[in-house]
Every structure is written in structure tokens, then in C-alpha cells.
Amino acid sequence: MSLHRVESLARTALPEITGDLRTLVELETPSRDKELLNKGLAAVERWTHRRLGPPDLLRRHDGGPHGDMLELLYSGSPHPAAAGPGAATVLVLCHYDTVWPAGTLAEWPFRVTDDGSASGPGVFDMKCGLVQAVWALRLLRELDLPRPAVRLFLNGDEEIGSPASRPHIERLSEDAAATLVCEAAAGQEGALKTSRKGVGLFEVTVVGVEAHAGLDPYAGASAVHALAELVTRVAALGDRERGTTVNVGTVSGGTGSNVVAGRAHCRIDVRIAAPAEAARIDAALAALRPADPRVRITVTGGWNRPPMVPGPASRLLFERARSIASDLGRPVSETSVGGASDGNFVAALGRPVLDGLGAVGGGAHARHEHVLLDHIPSRTALLAGLLTAHAQ
């Protein structure tokens, strides 16, 4: 089978692929550092040109204060049907930004361990997925196998919710036969992600009345006390049966132990599995009222990503992936996860999308972040199989 040839070539090229992974990991690209993001994206662009040659179309989209985006189109070939009018285009989504701040690499460099894993900031989430995507296309071309037009979209603000890139992702997915997301797989067996929770990010600001805690305590209205009361009510909005979680992640307020606090603040992370839960949470947050009428409450923020709920077309896409993986001798399962990705935007529009096609490993956003190098050839072949399936 031709995909076994892809996997075999990828295994032969694994040292070179690992070298590419090192190159990308050693480009520090924190989501909130525009200068490093610009430098990193320029290097990634040069790397894609080395591996794939110049694209048929290249557009760099300005992210404003956020990371820029790179759109690369490679036409389908060698079969005329794959490149003619009306031919399928597959959108491949990757992000090059990471959660790790500048300077992390100095204390945690890229390294390959004796057990066959590679670690380093961003290696799992998701620079390995980007490397696998480029190599999947490279090996299809090298073996002269059918492939559709592939639009590779590299996002520089995914880790902060894709505020600049979302409109581009929604526009580009409109005409795509499928959107393949190279975020990391789930678990050591590499499960694909067919469902993800939606994410809401909210902030509650409480303004009270300051007073001296000893001399005139009753003249004050504590913002900290009011917020403490509200936090328990906010946390109670979680509903395990509905798949809704509510986490008050940070709390701050007050100026001193002897001052009745005039101001307090908290940040809230909400995850929902069902789209209808958004309205319930919105209504509950809008209805928050303090016990003391002198205290004022302001709720800001909103829904960062809608839930990723697979429609019929996405179900078919997973079944196709499962068949390809089985043929390769690496069966895959599906799972639902609490984290969100750019695939959420595509799914919410009812378009076919499959997520979790990237690295197998673990430790996203943690110091034990790593990828299992032995899985790279089969994951690269799986992605290549999904691409070539859309060219036939």
C-alpha cells in the first residue's frame, strides 16, 4: 500500500524530521511577544520553502498586536483532477505560538532522551504537529502520490484565543473539503479529537467603599467580602452532568489588612459541552447581585470559542481516518476533551473538521511537555492518507 511507503520514508527520515523539530522548538515564539513571533514566523517561512519549495500562493496576514498569520497554498498534483476547476482544497491548521515566555529555552533546552522522546517548550503543543504536516505533504510529492490542493495556515495567536486569526480561519474553511487540525493527539495511544468544549473567559470587578477597618469599619462596604460571596455562587454554576465546568482562577483585591477593601477582581474560565449552556451561564452572570447595595459589580468578557460538536460530515471524516490508521496497523480511537482549538470555529459553522492529528506525547503547557518520536512516521502517514483521500 502506498501509505506504507510514506510511513517507511518518514521512518528513514526520522533523524532529519527530528532536526526540523529542534529547529522550530529553538525558535521562541511566546503568544504575547510580537517581536519574537515576527522573527519566528520568518524562520518558519524559510523552513517551509526548503522542505516544500515556493508555494503557489503566499499571503501574510497582519495580526495587529498579535502574531501574524501565514497562508500557503500548494496545488494538487500530479493528477489533473486534483488541480482542475472545482477541485477539493484541504485546509490544514497549525499554530506556531506557544505559552512559554522568552528565556524558557535557556533553562529548558530541546533534548532527545534515551527513551525515545523529545522535550522542549512547545514541542508537543504544537510544533511537532506543524513539522508532521509539512513532511506529510513533502512525502506525498516525493512519492508522486495523488494529493488535493493544500492550504496550510499558520496561526500566531492560538494560545490566546485566536482573536486576530479567527475571521481568516472561518473564511478559509468555507470552501474546504475538510479542515485538518494538527493539534496534539490525546493520550499515549494518539486518540483523535472529535469533540471539544467551548470556552468562556470572564472577569468580575467589584467596587466597594473604603474605610478604616478599626476606626470606622461600618462606614465601609468591603469589595473583598462581596467577591467572596459571589465566588461561591459563580462556582456553583458548574454542572457535571451537562459537561459544564466553572473555574475561578485568580482573585485579587484590597490594599491592606486594616482597610475595608474598595476594589476586588476575579477571572473565570468556563467550559461547556452543549451550546445551549452559553445562554444559561450568560444569564446567571448578568444576574449577579451583592448583598450590600453600596457595592457595584461589573462582569466583562465573553465566549472565546464555541463548543466543537461533530456533524455528519465530521463523523465521516473520522471514519475515514480510522480506516486509514487501521490499514497502517496503528488503530486510532476518538475522544472528547475540555481544551479548545481553532477546530471549534470550523465545527460551529457545520463544516467537516478533524482534530488531534499532531504529535503523540503529553504534558501540554507543563515542564514535562514531550513527544514520542516513534509515533511521528505513522502520524505523518495518517495525515498524508487523509490528504490523498481527498484527491481521489
Side-chain angles (χ1 to χ4, degrees), residues 19 32 36 58 71 74 147 160-161 164 173 228-229 234 246 249 339-341 353-354 380 386:
R32 299 189 185 278
L36 283 177
L58 185 151
E71 176 188 346
Y74 298 91
R147 60 188 184 275
I160 56 172
S173 67
E229 171 202 338
V234 169
V246 179
S341 82
V353 59
L354 186 59
T380 301
L386 284 168

Side-chain angles (χ1 to χ4, degrees), residues 175-261:
D175 297 326
T179 297
L180 306 178
V181 186
C182 292
E183 289 280 3
Q188 300 295 295
E189 298 305 314
L192 302 180
K193 298 170 182 177
T194 52
S195 301
R196 287 181 177 270
K197 290 187 178 181
V199 180
L201 302 175
F202 300 91
E203 299 185 12
V204 176
T205 301
V206 180
V207 178
V209 180
E210 287 186 334
H212 193 293
L215 295 178
D216 203 10
Y218 300 109
S222 174
V224 167
H225 293 182
L227 182 60
E229 171 202 338
L230 294 173
V231 164
T232 59
R233 287 158 55 185
V234 169
L237 296 174
D239 190 319
R240 193 165 189 167
E241 290 186 3
R242 298 181 187 181
T244 299
T245 61
V246 179
N247 180 63
V248 180
T250 67
V251 175
S252 61
T255 56
S257 61
N258 61 344
V259 179
V260 176

Side-chain angles (χ1 to χ4, degrees), residues 337-359:
V337 296
S341 82
D342 289 334
N344 290 53
F345 301 134
V346 180
L349 295 170
R351 299 166 185 169
V353 59
L354 186 59
D355 204 338
L357 288 160

Side-chain angles (χ1 to χ4, degrees), residues 253-278:
T255 56
S257 61
N258 61 344
V259 179
V260 176
R263 194 174 187 88
H265 177 268
C266 73
R267 289 191 174 92
I268 306 164
D269 179 296
V270 183
R271 308 277 167 146
I272 58 172
E277 279 289 87

